[in-house]
Amino acid sequence: GKTAVMHKDEFGTADMFTYSFPSSDKEGCEASRRALLSQGYIISDANDNNVKGRRKFQSDDETHVEIEFNVVCAPNSKGSNSTTIFTNAVRDRYALKKNSSSASLGVGGIGSISLPFGASNDSMVKVASETIADAKLYGRFFDLVERYLDDVKKTDEAETVRSEEHTS
């Protein structure tokens, strides 16, 4: 079945989830943070070598999807001034669970009528959670990171120049 295929792929190509950039880990993670922000992700965690962002999608009234990106920036060998960015995106799917508890109301003359009190008890239940294995998604993410890396580097250069001016 399909599950067997998934397990076979557990250790497959690393290309999809990894990308090397000529930058420091700090710059790589800052560019990743900006890339996620530009796509409407809410950043829950960000430091020099780790970024976490989450975005909610509503596909229809009954289904709710959240995607969480985890980014780790690891500097490559000393002196190479390059960083590998490891990223994985997890998709959580929630479905509306209807709790149909209805209250009976005694009404004189016509017996009892049921009033649904469903809405107040409806809840979203997580029905699936999976790591997204879509090379296109990661490709677009890394393209964005590369674009923001230029901005980050310019900012860093400007700050370096400013700090040098102060020391002289």
Side-chain angles (χ1 to χ4, degrees):
K2 195 164 169 239
T3 47
V5 177
M6 288 305 287
H7 291 305
K8 201 171 69 196
D9 287 345
E10 268 177 18
F11 284 98
T13 169
D15 303 355
M16 194 191 308
F17 304 106
T18 57
Y19 200 81
S20 282
F21 292 96
S23 70
S24 69
D25 51 344
K26 187 181 170 193
E27 289 168 337
C29 263
E30 174 57 18
S32 300
R33 187 181 75 89
R34 294 181 188 197
L36 288 174
L37 282 171
S38 78
Q39 299 303 302
Y41 280 78
I42 292 168
I43 305 300
S44 57
D45 197 18
N47 54 49
D48 287 358
N49 43 31
N50 187 263
V51 180
K52 216 182 211 117
R54 189 172 263 272
R55 184 176 160 188
K56 299 173 190 297
F57 300 85
Q58 187 80 24
S59 45
D60 56 59
D61 292 347
E62 308 279 303
T63 323
H64 169 77
V65 174
E66 287 188 18
I67 293 180
E68 183 173 67
F69 259 84
N70 289 293
V71 181
V72 175
C73 308
N76 296 335
S77 59
K78 278 212 181 324
S80 73
N81 191 33
S82 70
T83 293
T84 297
I85 294 180
F86 299 89
T87 186
N88 77 307
V90 175
R91 184 193 287 119
D92 290 337
R93 212 164 66 241
Y94 298 82
L96 190 66
K97 185 175 190 287
K98 292 201 182 299
N99 295 349
S100 52
S101 54
S102 54
S104 286
L105 227 61
V107 182
I110 47 173
S112 63
I113 46 176
S114 283
L115 294 178
F117 284 168
S120 57
N121 294 322
D122 286 354
S123 53
M124 282 288 184
V125 178
K126 190 192 281 193
V127 290
S129 185
E130 56 164 345
T131 297
I132 299 174
D134 175 7
K136 284 198 195 75
L137 173 81
Y138 296 105
R140 287 195 299 267
F141 171 69
F142 291 130
D143 284 348
L144 272 174
V145 170
E146 207 158 80
R147 214 166 74 199
Y148 283 103
L149 209 47
D150 290 343
D151 296 349
V152 171
K153 288 187 164 214
K154 285 191 191 98
T155 316
D156 281 0
E157 279 165 22
E159 278 170 11
T160 311
V161 170
R162 272 203 298 279
S163 61
E164 280 168 4
E165 281 169 2
H166 287 301
T167 50
S168 58

